[in-house]
Amino acid sequence: MTTISPASVDFTGSQPETPSGRRLTFVEALVEGMRDEMRRDPSVFLMGQDVGAMGGAMQGSKGLYEEFGPRRVKDTPISESAMVGAAVGAALTGKRPIVEVSFGEFLPTAMNQIVLQAANLHYMTCGAARVPMVLRTRVGDGPYRGHPQSYEAWFAHVPGLKVVMPATAADAKGMMVAAIRDPNPVLFFEHMWLYHGVRGEVPAGDHVTPLDSTFVRRAGRDVTIAATGWMVHKALGAADLLATEGIEVEVVDVACLSPLRTEVVEESVRKTSRLVVAHEAWRTGGFGAEIAATIAERCFYDLDAPVARVAAPDAPLPLAKPLRDAFLPDVRDVAEAVRRVHAG
Amino acid sequence: MTTISPASVDFTGSQPETPSGRRLTFVEALVEGMRDEMRRDPSVFLMGQDVGAMGGAMQGSKGLYEEFGPRRVKDTPISESAMVGAAVGAALTGKRPIVEVSFGEFLPTAMNQIVLQAANLHYMTCGAARVPMVLRTRVGDGPYRGHPQSYEAWFAHVPGLKVVMPATAADAKGMMVAAIRDPNPVLFFEHMWLYHGVRGEVPAGDHVTPLDSTFVRRAGRDVTIAATGWMVHKALGAADLLATEGIEVEVVDVACLSPLRTEVVEESVRKTSRLVVAHEAWRTGGFGAEIAATIAERCFYDLDAPVARVAAPDAPLPLAKPLRDAFLPDVRDVAEAVRRVHAG
Amino acid sequence: MATAAPTRINHPAPHAHGRDLLRLMILSRVLEQTCCELNPRWFPAEGEEAAIVGAFYGLRSDDFIAAHYRGPFIAYYLRGADLARLIGQALAKANGYARGRALGFTGPFELGCLPWVAGDLGTSLGVATGVATGYQYEGGDRVVVCSFGDGTSNRGDFHEALNLAAVWKLPIVYVCQNNQYSISLHLSQVLATDTIAARAAGYGMPGVAVDGNDVLAVRAAVEHAVESARAGLGPSLVEAQSYRLSGHWASDPGGYRRDEDVAAWRERDPITRLERQLLEAGEVTRHDLDQLWQDARDEVARAVEVAQAAPSCDAADIGLGEAYAS
Amino acid sequence: MATAAPTRINHPAPHAHGRDLLRLMILSRVLEQTCCELNPRWFPAEGEEAAIVGAFYGLRSDDFIAAHYRGPFIAYYLRGADLARLIGQALAKANGYARGRALGFTGPFELGCLPWVAGDLGTSLGVATGVATGYQYEGGDRVVVCSFGDGTSNRGDFHEALNLAAVWKLPIVYVCQNNQYSISLHLSQVLATDTIAARAAGYGMPGVAVDGNDVLAVRAAVEHAVESARAGLGPSLVEAQSYRLSGHWASDPGGYRRDEDVAAWRERDPITRLERQLLEAGEVTRHDLDQLWQDARDEVARAVEVAQAAPSCDAADIGLGEAYAS
Ligand SMILES: Cc1ncc(C[n+]2csc(CCOP(=O)(O)OP(=O)(O)O)c2C)c(N)n1
Ligand SMILES: Cc1ncc(C[n+]2csc(CCOP(=O)(O)OP(=O)(O)O)c2C)c(N)n1
Ligand SMILES: [Mg+2]
Ligand SMILES: [Mg+2]
């Protein structure tokens, strides 16, 4: 199947080229964001399984234990609900905990803490309580193919939570910094293909990407693709492909899923009159449904063709590579959808 | 705020009037469905908190313990994850367990069993395993206002699960029977306002309502309302109201959320060219987004106005009646949305 | 969070504890029974006053509590909560601490109480453990006292929270308010051990079961546990063994249990028991007791008046824009 | 589910057990190490063979097992699974029991094994407990043996499952395959007790910790627990205390622990230990041992050949229409 090799993905994201010219991988940028905030703010600490001496799954917390020690980089038992509860409670005391659930596949074991506590506390106390915590977790397909679930749609459905999914190294750092500084519970989804596969320009020093960001990654006049996470890169791959066919695609990176702001997508669709929504999660009830429904409503008179959704089929996610590759939407699927709406 | 008193709701649902003329409440019909299957099939049993001698929360299992005893009507500890796991495992041995999670608000404590086990087992074993279980749970607002969450969208997003939400007494029985006989895990959502508030004609004896049912509850040519559960009744209330204004509303009861079939809604929209989707859950990422997106795509050239969604606002659900009533969508909100799309 | 210099709350000189504990139990009895009369869906705590008062007595203003949902008002009162505002919650009035948004038995966060923002039992143990995590991170000697029901101890969150607290030596005391029932189910239907305290050994923390109708025993056990938590010695589990004298909610006839059992437990009423002790010890006179009851009734009656006069929750205060902090 | 008349699997006359257990441990060692060579992401079970073989030895064909994800192939083999198909799973070949859909360490459901259909640890304890619920409902005397890691015992599902099994007296045996690590974390970092078996008392079930490198001890403890489960006396918890000699996955250098610890545990290798015992008892000769190793290598080599010759998973077999049974 057509798919862009992670290595080939290489760009700067939301930031202008910095003189420094520093190029980091997605995960390096992510860790730098946590490190900078831990240096700046003593109330920030990290909890998770193997985040300490081991440096985290896929090097997700590399170097933090060495710099900050066991008090601020806490290894936890295999107790996802208690881990998230620990973050909610610590946040209530004014700390700024980052709790790592190793993989998004384990979020179902901590839903009560996330949905019934973290999301409700501020509103239900008429503002007396605040829950400034970050829940980071690895999602999507990846080099090892393990734990590939994408449950972001569940959380985008729950008011009181913020949900972000950066697609570039610069935003991995900038949004992590913003998430840590935000006074609300932020779910931070880290796509595993991006981890070591995406490298880009990352500003040194204080660098904040607003959590409500949506980015136009590539300008084009014919069709808009609104994508999340790794699919942003597949969309860009598809755009390259389609350019050779004379179809100019505009690629929008919906880096913030909740609270959702669709202005950028609307503006783009007013120009292109055509929209493809692309994500790696299951199609039915996926987050793409919300984007499609909202745009179909707000841009009803602008659309020249039905909004198309590119997503995983409605079946459990198989493990073996040939099945996984056939299962997940790829560059070709995105390109095909674009051709369809372009023709339509 | 305008709201129809449950007592005023009274109709037959999917079945023609039966000579018997038996009228049951929603919960009576529900219990009759379980009772009939337990009489018919010795592999059927019920597990849940207080389902035994007490007869279940809101009389949800009244009389079953007296007839079938402790072996087939099992009281459980407060261990939702183990309860659902017990049902999944018992189903693997060929039993047909019904597990009751007292209220949908507690589903977050059992997500791993539902989403990662029940949903995956059949596909992942290439068909060797089957999970013929029913997970029943009380959802939505109700006379006591407790535990009002509506998380159905999460489960409709997960392939391998079936999700139904009957709106009439006849379907409460018929779909419960169908759910018990189905070889798949079925999530059975019981809206608490319907429990004692809706009464209707219920066929005695063997009565099965196919799980993939969608019903036209009222015919009309101007605007289609696609609603679920209690909102079906509010939609009917709105239809009465609007009829006096000369707007003929067609009300579709989407009793099956997953696997979703939209043919009936599509057919209706081809006729009315206008659609309002109504549910009690939060708007963003709610199940209405899927229906709206699908119809906007499939009926792109039929729609004369944007699809409107009537749902709860994106904020946590407050408890006190004045706040709750202001929070939840009601007859007036539905009517208002219909007028908007009718004018649009 | 309360950040003022820590001060002891409702904490008289040691010799007066008995009388003060009695006063609080009587107040709790009158207060909760009044709520049951005002709200048939209220959850009676009759008979469990010793377990509750003993658990939350004598803490500091900078400590934190997470009270079980049954009978928590006296615990909030010990934090300095206003009775009229608490009763307002039972009436779903706008003067309640959550202005009608949270559950009626929620507590004032601003006074160091974990609010009840959802109805799922057990989850609060995780959050309370998190507050203790925050306190430990601060250094200092603030502690958390977290109570929960016997039935709730079968939730996975109980297990994960207690293990985490033990491994990290968190400053938290878990108090099981064991009334032997979960709605209609007797403990023997959902638990195969004699005590819930026995579970503490599986986490490597001290666990003790005490007579939950003896407020002095509960108080002593919790005080000891609080002191060791404050000293950085880690968490403890205290089980206060009592009995739910009334139904699950006020209007629940509770027909699922035998009258003689209930009668037998009425004999052990924690309030009459302490009254007898104090009378025998000569610490109070009959007249003092009548006065305590009268004072409690008066105090509650005044609060009821204020609460009933308070405005109902106003749809205008729904605060749909307040889901996020800024 | 297997429904044929129950027969004992791989179950020779008692006097031959020692030799048979040794054969199985050697086969497990060769089998799993081969998988590690074929797949750097495989999870080594080196040193834990006694805990695994002792747990799943001598069950009936109509019993059910839920094996921990580390080193489960010998347990599936004991159920009658085909080595070539199991190795095919490590290679993600189409001949695997799940044809590449489930995780590589999944087991054949058709042979009474709980498949691994998701990667979240602990959840399987709930499902295994459910299978025991189904068995009890049937009447009869089928049992379930469910193993899990030491780290997994901190998941809430462990707590809820064991309590439910104890309250309902379910026919299930829980075996903790304690290798003292959860990836990089030593047990002492996530547990404040000496044993996990100590948790059994909190559920009212028997709990015993045995030397997990002594296959006869593990086997004896589990056999006893299985017999009492079969007799309707309820569940038990058996903790087999062992050590993970290799990394978390094959290519993990495991730099987070001290070489001398690993070396000390290598001294207690469960296989060499039983070899020594049987030699001393005169039950086997050196030549027998060489033969056992040679047979194991041959058997595995043949299976590897078949597995490698098997077709890769084919996208055409993705079965998107098979999410639901009909
Ligand atoms: C997770 C969860 N499951 C079930 C319920 C329903 N429920 C409300 S109160 C109650 C009984 C709780 O028993 P216990 O913990 O002993 O407290 P008690 O009512 O006896 O004070 C139950 C089961 C709930 N609120 N939360
Ligand atoms: C719920 C959950 N949390 C975290 C993980 C990630 N994880 C995979 S293996 C592992 C270690 C498990 O330790 P243990 O239970 O002792 O088994 P062992 O690996 O030692 O055999 C962890 C934490 C997981 N798979 N599931
Ligand atoms: Mg109780
Ligand atoms: Mg281990």
Side-chain angles (χ1 to χ4, degrees):
Chain A
M1 306 242 118
T2 329
T3 182
I4 40 175
S5 89
S8 76
V9 178
D10 179 344
F11 72 63
T12 303
S14 59
Q15 291 304 313
E17 291 270 337
T18 53
S20 81
R22 278 180 354 128
R23 310 190 62 70
L24 302 180
T25 62
F26 186 91
V27 66
E28 286 165 349
L30 204 55
V31 173
E32 182 169 284
M34 292 188 283
R35 186 205 66 192
D36 288 0
E37 284 308 285
M38 289 178 78
R39 285 179 181 172
R40 200 185 58 79
D41 180 351
S43 73
V44 179
F45 65 95
L46 173 66
M47 295 184 279
Q49 293 156 26
D50 307 290
V51 296
M54 193 181 102
M58 298 173 73
Q59 304 177 14
S61 53
K62 192 175 179 193
L64 297 179
Y65 183 82
E66 289 69 14
E67 177 168 353
F68 301 104
R71 175 172 167 272
R72 298 186 66 190
V73 181
K74 295 179 180 297
D75 280 309
T76 65
I78 305 174
S79 304
E80 279 73 12
S81 186
M83 288 156 60
V84 176
V88 174
L92 286 176
T93 71
K95 312 303 169 294
R96 291 186 175 269
I98 305 166
V99 61
E100 168 179 320
V101 171
S102 309
F103 300 94
E105 185 176 34
F106 313 145
L107 292 174
T109 64
M111 290 295 281
N112 54 329
Q113 296 292 350
I114 301 167
V115 169
L116 292 165
Q117 291 291 326
N120 283 347
L121 275 155
H122 184 69
Y123 172 84
M124 290 275 182
T125 57
C126 302
R130 292 169 164 249
V131 187
M133 64 177 272
V134 178
L135 191 167
R136 61 177 296 216
T137 191
R138 298 174 189 83
V139 301
D141 189 33
Y144 308 121
R145 296 203 307 283
H147 315 300
Q149 270 65 21
S150 301
Y151 297 135
E152 63 274 7
W154 293 348
F155 304 97
H157 182 44
V158 179
L161 302 175
K162 293 190 175 186
V163 182
V164 298
M165 199 187 298
T168 71
D171 294 342
K173 174 178 177 179
M175 292 190 116
M176 177 55 78
V177 170
I180 293 169
R181 295 182 188 178
D182 196 89
N184 297 286
V186 179
L187 270 64
F188 197 98
F189 288 97
E190 308 167 3
H191 196 287
M192 289 189 272
W193 269 126
L194 298 174
Y195 251 55
H196 308 286
V198 168
R199 185 179 285 281
E201 205 66 46
V202 178
D206 206 48
H207 165 54
V208 184
T209 308
L211 290 183
D212 62 358
S213 295
T214 310
F215 306 104
V216 175
R217 295 300 185 192
R218 174 187 178 124
R221 65 175 186 292
D222 297 331
V223 177
T224 302
I225 304 176
T228 56
W230 183 224
M231 290 302 293
V232 171
H233 300 276
K234 294 190 177 180
L236 289 164
D240 290 339
L241 204 70
L242 291 158
T244 66
E245 303 170 18
I247 303 178
E248 290 306 326
V249 173
E250 181 146 305
V251 177
V252 178
D253 171 359
V254 184
C256 176
L257 278 63
S258 181
L260 178 65
R261 296 184 51 184
T262 53
E263 295 87 339
V264 174
V265 180
E266 290 169 44
E267 201 180 305
S268 176
V269 168
R270 292 213 177 79
K271 179 175 66 178
T272 63
S273 307
R274 291 174 159 79
L275 176 64
V276 171
V277 182
H279 58 57
E280 192 174 306
W282 292 302
R283 175 191 169 97
T284 298
F287 191 68
E290 179 58 44
I291 298 178
T294 301
I295 297 304
E297 183 177 0
R298 302 235 181 112
C299 301
F300 184 76
Y301 301 100
D302 305 297
L303 285 168
D304 290 345
V307 176
R309 285 184 275 165
V310 179
D314 293 326
L317 212 55
L319 180 95
K321 190 167 190 319
L323 305 181
R324 180 72 59 86
D325 291 345
F327 187 91
L328 295 178
D330 61 16
V331 169
R332 194 162 67 181
D333 301 318
V334 176
E336 196 39 54
V338 171
R339 289 189 198 99
R340 231 175 33 248
V341 303
H342 186 250
Chain B
M1 304 244 120
T2 333
T3 181
I4 41 175
S5 88
S8 77
V9 179
D10 180 343
F11 71 57
T12 304
S14 60
Q15 291 303 313
E17 291 271 335
T18 53
S20 82
R22 277 178 359 128
R23 310 191 58 72
L24 303 180
T25 61
F26 186 91
V27 66
E28 286 165 349
L30 204 55
V31 173
E32 182 169 282
M34 292 189 283
R35 186 205 64 192
D36 289 359
E37 285 307 286
M38 288 178 78
R39 285 180 181 172
R40 199 186 58 79
D41 179 352
S43 72
V44 179
F45 65 96
L46 174 67
M47 294 183 279
Q49 293 156 27
D50 307 290
V51 297
M54 193 182 103
M58 299 174 72
Q59 304 177 11
S61 52
K62 193 175 177 192
L64 297 179
Y65 182 82
E66 289 68 13
E67 177 168 353
F68 300 103
R71 175 172 168 272
R72 298 186 66 190
V73 182
K74 296 179 179 297
D75 280 310
T76 65
I78 306 173
S79 305
E80 279 73 12
S81 186
M83 287 156 59
V84 176
V88 174
L92 286 176
T93 72
K95 313 302 169 296
R96 292 186 174 268
I98 305 166
V99 61
E100 168 179 321
V101 171
S102 308
F103 299 94
E105 185 177 34
F106 313 145
L107 292 174
T109 65
M111 290 296 281
N112 53 330
Q113 296 291 350
I114 301 167
V115 169
L116 291 165
Q117 291 291 326
N120 283 347
L121 275 155
H122 183 69
Y123 172 84
M124 291 275 181
T125 57
C126 302
R130 293 169 163 251
V131 187
M133 64 177 272
V134 178
L135 191 167
R136 60 177 296 216
T137 191
R138 298 174 189 83
V139 301
D141 190 32
Y144 307 122
R145 296 203 306 285
H147 314 300
Q149 271 64 22
S150 300
Y151 297 135
E152 64 274 6
W154 294 348
F155 304 97
H157 182 45
V158 179
L161 302 175
K162 293 190 175 185
V163 182
V164 298
M165 199 187 298
T168 71
D171 293 342
K173 174 178 178 178
M175 291 188 115
M176 177 54 79
V177 170
I180 294 168
R181 296 182 188 178
D182 195 90
N184 297 286
V186 179
L187 271 65
F188 197 98
F189 288 98
E190 308 168 4
H191 196 288
M192 288 189 272
W193 268 127
L194 299 174
Y195 251 54
H196 308 285
V198 167
R199 185 179 287 281
E201 205 66 45
V202 178
D206 206 49
H207 165 54
V208 185
T209 308
L211 291 182
D212 61 357
S213 294
T214 309
F215 306 103
V216 175
R217 295 299 185 192
R218 175 190 177 120
R221 66 175 185 293
D222 297 331
V223 177
T224 301
I225 304 177
T228 56
W230 183 222
M231 290 303 293
V232 171
H233 300 277
K234 294 191 178 180
L236 289 164
D240 290 339
L241 204 71
L242 292 159
T244 66
E245 304 170 18
I247 303 179
E248 289 307 326
V249 174
E250 181 146 304
V251 176
V252 178
D253 171 0
V254 183
C256 176
L257 279 62
S258 181
L260 178 65
R261 296 185 50 185
T262 53
E263 294 88 340
V264 175
V265 179
E266 289 169 43
E267 201 180 305
S268 176
V269 169
R270 290 212 179 78
K271 178 175 65 178
T272 63
S273 307
R274 290 174 159 79
L275 176 64
V276 171
V277 181
H279 58 58
E280 191 174 306
W282 291 302
R283 175 190 169 96
T284 298
F287 190 68
E290 179 59 44
I291 297 178
T294 302
I295 298 303
E297 182 177 2
R298 302 234 181 112
C299 301
F300 185 75
Y301 301 100
D302 304 297
L303 285 168
D304 289 346
V307 176
R309 284 183 275 165
V310 179
D314 293 325
L317 212 55
L319 181 94
K321 190 168 188 321
L323 305 180
R324 180 73 58 87
D325 290 344
F327 188 91
L328 294 178
D330 60 16
V331 170
R332 193 162 68 180
D333 301 318
V334 176
E336 196 39 53
V338 170
R339 290 189 198 99
R340 232 172 34 245
V341 303
H342 186 249
Chain C
M1 307 296 303
T3 45
T7 56
R8 286 234 165 179
I9 309 173
N10 289 60
H11 203 264
H15 70 271
H17 280 176
R19 192 196 178 101
D20 197 44
L21 290 164
L22 178 61
R23 177 182 74 80
L24 292 161
M25 289 200 292
I26 290 171
L27 181 58
S28 175
R29 173 74 53 95
V30 174
L31 180 56
E32 294 286 339
Q33 279 187 334
T34 302
C35 291
C36 288
E37 285 154 20
L38 297 170
N39 177 352
R41 299 289 298 178
W42 200 250
F43 302 98
E46 190 192 9
E48 301 175 45
E49 294 84 359
I52 303 166
V53 169
F56 297 104
Y57 187 74
L59 294 172
R60 291 191 337 210
S61 60
D62 64 339
D63 292 331
F64 191 86
I65 73 164
H68 181 50
Y69 81 95
R70 186 180 299 279
F73 280 0
I74 197 67
Y76 304 149
Y77 174 86
L78 280 163
R79 305 296 301 165
D82 170 23
L83 288 189
R85 297 188 66 180
L86 294 174
I87 293 169
Q89 293 179 185
L91 291 166
K93 289 300 191 89
N95 71 325
Y97 281 98
R99 305 208 304 262
R101 294 183 188 182
L103 291 155
F105 41 81
T106 193
F109 179 74
E110 50 274 43
L111 295 174
C113 304
L114 186 67
W116 278 95
V117 300
D120 57 319
L121 292 171
T123 306
S124 63
L125 276 77
V127 179
T129 303
V131 171
T133 304
Y135 284 177
Q136 181 183 61
Y137 187 82
E138 286 170 2
D141 61 355
R142 303 166 75 178
V143 305
V144 177
V145 176
C146 170
S147 69
F148 54 90
D150 47 301
T152 301
S153 75
N154 289 329
R155 284 268 293 100
D157 283 279
F158 166 92
H159 180 70
E160 295 194 0
L162 268 70
N163 183 65
L164 189 72
V167 168
W168 286 356
K169 287 197 164 314
L170 295 176
I172 183 166
V173 177
Y174 300 97
V175 181
C176 180
Q177 184 175 326
N178 179 355
N179 63 7
Q180 301 183 40
Y181 278 89
S182 331
I183 305 186
S184 72
L185 304 178
H186 185 263
L187 195 47
S188 60
Q189 295 172 268
V190 297
L191 190 78
T193 57
D194 298 336
T195 72
I196 285 152
R199 290 180 169 174
Y203 307 112
M205 72 170 72
V208 55
V210 299
D211 180 342
N213 285 15
D214 177 348
V215 69
L216 297 170
V218 176
R219 153 103 179 111
V222 173
E223 183 172 40
H224 176 75
V226 165
E227 277 164 8
S228 73
R230 239 187 250 299
L233 303 176
S236 309
L237 171 60
V238 175
E239 175 183 356
Q241 300 179 317
S242 183
Y243 188 86
R244 196 192 73 205
L245 287 176
S246 308
H248 171 57
W249 54 78
S251 58
D252 167 20
Y256 39 78
R257 52 193 195 168
R258 305 188 338 208
D259 299 345
E260 45 273 47
D261 295 345
V262 180
W265 277 94
R266 281 206 176 280
E267 288 307 304
R268 310 188 207 163
D269 185 303
I271 296 177
T272 44
R273 176 169 174 173
L274 182 58
E275 286 179 334
R276 212 176 302 113
Q277 284 175 303
L278 294 181
L279 281 170
E280 284 163 7
E283 287 189 34
V284 295
T285 65
R286 285 237 162 270
H287 172 271
D288 294 334
L289 298 183
D290 298 342
Q291 194 57 54
L292 283 172
W293 282 97
Q294 195 51 53
D295 293 348
R297 278 190 291 265
D298 294 346
E299 188 173 1
V300 171
R302 280 193 301 276
V304 168
E305 260 179 44
V306 176
Q308 275 169 330
S312 319
C313 296
D314 180 353
D317 183 42
I318 191 167
L320 296 182
E322 299 167 32
Y324 296 91
S326 50
Chain D
M1 305 297 303
T3 45
T7 57
R8 285 236 167 179
I9 309 173
N10 290 58
H11 203 267
H15 70 274
H17 279 176
R19 191 196 178 100
D20 197 44
L21 291 164
L22 178 60
R23 176 181 74 80
L24 291 161
M25 288 199 292
I26 290 171
L27 181 58
S28 175
R29 172 75 53 94
V30 174
L31 180 56
E32 294 287 339
Q33 279 187 333
T34 302
C35 291
C36 289
E37 286 154 21
L38 296 170
N39 177 351
R41 298 289 299 178
W42 199 249
F43 302 98
E46 188 191 11
E48 301 175 45
E49 293 86 358
I52 302 167
V53 169
F56 296 105
Y57 186 75
L59 294 172
R60 291 190 336 209
S61 60
D62 65 338
D63 292 330
F64 191 86
I65 72 164
H68 182 49
Y69 81 94
R70 186 180 300 278
F73 280 0
I74 198 67
Y76 304 149
Y77 174 85
L78 280 164
R79 306 295 301 165
D82 170 22
L83 288 189
R85 296 189 66 181
L86 294 174
I87 293 169
Q89 293 179 184
L91 292 166
K93 288 301 191 87
N95 71 325
Y97 281 98
R99 304 207 304 262
R101 294 182 187 182
L103 291 156
F105 42 80
T106 194
F109 179 73
E110 50 275 44
L111 295 174
C113 304
L114 186 66
W116 278 95
V117 300
D120 57 318
L121 293 170
T123 305
S124 62
L125 275 76
V127 179
T129 303
V131 171
T133 304
Y135 285 176
Q136 180 183 62
Y137 187 82
E138 286 171 2
D141 62 356
R142 301 166 76 178
V143 305
V144 176
V145 175
C146 170
S147 69
F148 54 90
D150 47 301
T152 301
S153 75
N154 289 329
R155 284 267 294 100
D157 283 279
F158 166 91
H159 180 71
E160 296 194 1
L162 269 69
N163 183 66
L164 189 72
V167 168
W168 286 356
K169 288 199 166 308
L170 296 176
I172 182 167
V173 177
Y174 300 97
V175 180
C176 181
Q177 184 176 327
N178 180 354
N179 63 7
Q180 300 183 41
Y181 278 89
S182 325
I183 305 186
S184 73
L185 304 179
H186 185 264
L187 194 47
S188 59
Q189 295 172 268
V190 297
L191 190 79
T193 57
D194 299 336
T195 73
I196 285 153
R199 290 180 169 173
Y203 307 113
M205 72 171 71
V208 54
V210 299
D211 179 341
N213 285 16
D214 177 348
V215 70
L216 297 170
V218 177
R219 152 103 180 113
V222 173
E223 183 173 40
H224 176 75
V226 165
E227 276 164 9
S228 73
R230 240 188 248 299
L233 303 177
S236 309
L237 171 61
V238 175
E239 174 183 357
Q241 300 179 317
S242 183
Y243 188 86
R244 196 192 74 205
L245 286 176
S246 309
H248 171 58
W249 55 78
S251 57
D252 167 21
Y256 39 78
R257 52 194 194 169
R258 302 186 335 198
D259 299 346
E260 47 272 47
D261 295 345
V262 181
W265 277 94
R266 282 207 174 281
E267 287 307 304
R268 311 188 207 162
D269 185 303
I271 296 177
T272 42
R273 177 170 173 172
L274 182 59
E275 286 179 335
R276 213 178 301 113
Q277 285 175 305
L278 295 180
L279 280 169
E280 284 161 7
E283 287 190 35
V284 296
T285 64
R286 285 238 161 269
H287 172 271
D288 295 334
L289 298 183
D290 298 341
Q291 193 59 53
L292 283 172
W293 282 97
Q294 193 51 52
D295 293 347
R297 280 190 290 266
D298 294 345
E299 188 172 1
V300 171
R302 279 193 301 276
V304 168
E305 260 180 44
V306 176
Q308 275 169 330
S312 316
C313 297
D314 179 353
D317 184 40
I318 191 168
L320 296 181
E322 298 167 33
Y324 295 92
S326 50

